[in-house]
Amino acid sequence: MRAAGARVSLRPVRGRAQGRSGGLPRGRWRPLGVLVRAAGRGDAVSRHELLSLRGRSVAWVFPLALLIGIAAVDVSTPTFQIISWTVLVPGIAAAICGVRGTAVLAVLSAVVYVLADNYWQHHARTSLSGLVLVCLGGLIAVAAAVVRVGGERRMVHMRDIAETTRRTVLRPLPQGFGGLEHAAVYLSADTQARVGGDFYDVQPGPHGTRVLLGDVQGKGLGAVETAAALLGTFREAAYHEPDLAAVAARLETRMLRHRAHTAALGRSDGDRFATAVLTGFSPELPDAVDVVVFGHEPPLAVGPRGVRRLPAVGGLPLGMGDLLPGPSVAVHRLALARDETLLLVTDGVTEARDAAGRFYRPADDVARAVAADPRNAEPRRLVALVRDGTLRHCRGRLADDTTVFAVRRPDG
């Protein structure tokens, strides 16, 4: 979930609805439909935030209101005896309240049942079995709340671990890092893991600032491990190597070494590869950039004059350089005006499909947006535009991890 000049991360938070509802303060309440979807996903964090007011839980209001309503209807309607429905109250509390709240509501349900059966007598008294049913339902609800709360705590702990892993692989980038204005969006196809094989980074050094964006083939922890290995090599090589081709060669060597290591361990992902785009910004080249493409979608240049695809011929993905007899690295020096932004995306964007199976074309949306307002070429606006367009096109059903990265010189 998971949100962009300086670099701003625009990771979305799943299960949250934006705007106002019912005239209450923004962010305090959410529509009931969003609550139902969050509860159905088992998203404990979203559900807790939806059921809070000014930082305090109000989940107990709903089962308590139900209990009061049952008692009121039972007392005011002599011909309609529904006091036994109080067994529903602790069951609902077990789904949205804590253990203590569920226990309190279970006791209240039993007390209301006894009062209605013995002191508010306008019906024939119910049998002892009704009270036993309410008490037994309360005990079962408390036990269910214990299990649910324990599971939610474990889930939140795992989410914290995944978030730590993500921040280790995709480290936060300071504002203006490397003397560039940049923004990034990362969307994980796995809403629980929140981390995958997409990677990006910016590394300034004495030879200019280098930018890397890529996508490791496959999913899971193996893809994350490979991305971490490539980023570690990039951060060192991009700083020390004066030639961008040498940085690219170091990345290829690291990928081959990593594959050999995983193969020696007997793992099934020993043939993993990665597509990537490596870019070099140099103070000596204020109107150009050096680009190396490893089997990836070429970057787009977005500016007030429109959108153009940089003519960078894609080479083989990282890990496949040994298939060619000679050097597989080709550095392309391409014109990039000072007011143009470099837009890089992974295949989660370009392979997003709509209901008819059509692929998403981000260049078309970006061109229309920039024509309407040239400020949309700013990195922050640009990544938000592509993110929203991707989610709208695929109706929120991401088939792959999705990364959008935009970067430009600050005086653009």
Side-chain angles (χ1 to χ4, degrees):
M1 249 94 133
R2 60 68 6 174
R7 183 260 190 192
V8 176
S9 178
L10 298 175
R11 297 179 185 88
V13 181
R14 296 173 176 84
R16 299 183 183 180
Q18 301 298 325
R20 298 182 181 268
S21 176
L24 292 172
R26 183 186 183 100
R28 302 301 186 190
W29 291 79
R30 302 294 189 270
L32 181 59
V34 178
L35 168 62
V36 172
R37 289 193 295 272
R41 283 199 315 270
D43 191 338
V45 175
S46 297
R47 187 162 62 251
H48 291 168
E49 292 178 352
L50 290 166
L51 293 172
S52 64
L53 178 64
R54 301 175 187 264
R56 294 180 178 274
S57 174
V58 294
W60 53 270
V61 170
F62 302 101
L64 181 61
L66 176 62
L67 178 61
I68 295 173
I70 291 173
V73 171
D74 186 83
V75 170
S76 61
T77 311
T79 60
F80 195 40
Q81 187 174 12
I82 63 169
I83 195 61
S84 60
W85 289 16
T86 54
V87 72
L88 298 175
V89 173
I92 295 175
I96 59 177
C97 298
V99 176
R100 182 180 302 176
T102 303
V104 170
L105 287 164
V107 172
L108 283 177
S109 298
V111 170
V112 169
Y113 184 91
V114 171
L115 290 175
D117 203 31
N118 293 278
Y119 299 100
W120 305 333
Q121 292 185 7
H122 57 278
H123 298 294
R125 293 187 63 182
T126 60
S127 62
L128 182 62
S129 60
L131 179 60
V132 172
L133 175 64
V134 173
C135 293
L136 183 60
L139 291 175
I140 294 175
V142 172
V146 171
V147 174
R148 177 185 63 80
V149 170
E152 288 180 350
R153 287 174 178 169
R154 289 190 295 272
M155 186 198 73
V156 171
H157 180 63
M158 293 303 296
R159 286 170 64 109
D160 290 342
I161 294 175
E163 180 69 12
T164 302
T165 303
R166 182 191 63 78
R167 293 178 70 87
T168 301
V169 177
L170 301 179
R171 62 178 179 174
L173 299 177
Q175 295 183 356
F177 192 53
L180 299 176
E181 183 181 351
H182 38 77
V185 167
Y186 175 78
L187 306 175
S188 175
D190 186 344
T191 59
Q192 299 300 324
R194 295 166 51 179
V195 66
D198 286 9
F199 57 92
Y200 61 87
D201 202 3
V202 176
Q203 181 58 59
H207 311 291
T209 300
R210 276 74 184 264
V211 177
L212 177 67
L213 177 137
D215 181 11
V216 177
Q217 174 263 333
K219 301 180 183 297
L221 293 178
V224 177
E225 180 185 0
T226 304
L230 290 173
L231 285 174
T233 297
F234 166 74
R235 289 161 186 164
E236 290 300 312
Y239 182 87
H240 293 286
E241 296 291 349
D243 189 1
L244 193 66
V247 179
R250 291 273 296 273
L251 290 172
E252 174 67 23
T253 302
R254 184 68 182 95
M255 189 67 196
L256 294 176
R257 290 173 53 206
H258 182 74
R259 286 176 52 183
H261 178 259
T262 55
L265 293 174
R267 287 167 35 181
S268 59
D269 59 348
D271 58 348
R272 197 183 296 275
F273 61 88
T275 64
V277 177
L278 175 62
T279 307
F281 289 83
S282 174
E284 289 77 23
L285 299 171
D287 297 313
V289 291
D290 291 332
V291 178
V292 179
V293 179
F294 297 96
H296 198 86
E297 185 78 10
L300 297 175
V302 182
R305 292 170 297 280
V307 180
R308 60 187 181 89
R309 190 178 301 275
L310 296 184
V313 180
L316 292 177
L318 290 168
M320 293 186 173
D322 54 350
L323 298 179
L324 294 178
S328 59
V329 175
V331 179
H332 303 273
R333 180 158 293 176
L334 306 173
L336 184 71
R338 302 178 70 87
D339 59 354
E340 286 185 314
T341 300
L342 202 63
L343 176 63
L344 304 103
V345 300
T346 59
D347 55 8
V349 174
T350 56
E351 295 182 3
R353 297 172 181 259
D354 61 9
R358 294 185 294 265
F359 290 109
Y360 177 55
R361 298 180 179 274
D364 297 340
D365 277 358
V366 170
R368 286 191 292 268
V370 172
D373 186 354
R375 291 178 300 174
N376 285 323
E378 298 173 1
R380 176 179 179 137
R381 292 191 177 199
L382 190 56
V383 295
L385 175 69
V386 177
R387 175 200 62 190
D388 295 343
T390 302
L391 293 173
R392 183 170 55 249
H393 187 81
C394 68
R395 297 160 296 158
R397 299 183 178 93
L398 295 173
D400 197 359
D401 295 333
T402 300
T403 299
V404 185
F405 191 88
V407 59
R408 72 176 182 182
R409 295 178 177 90
D411 55 355

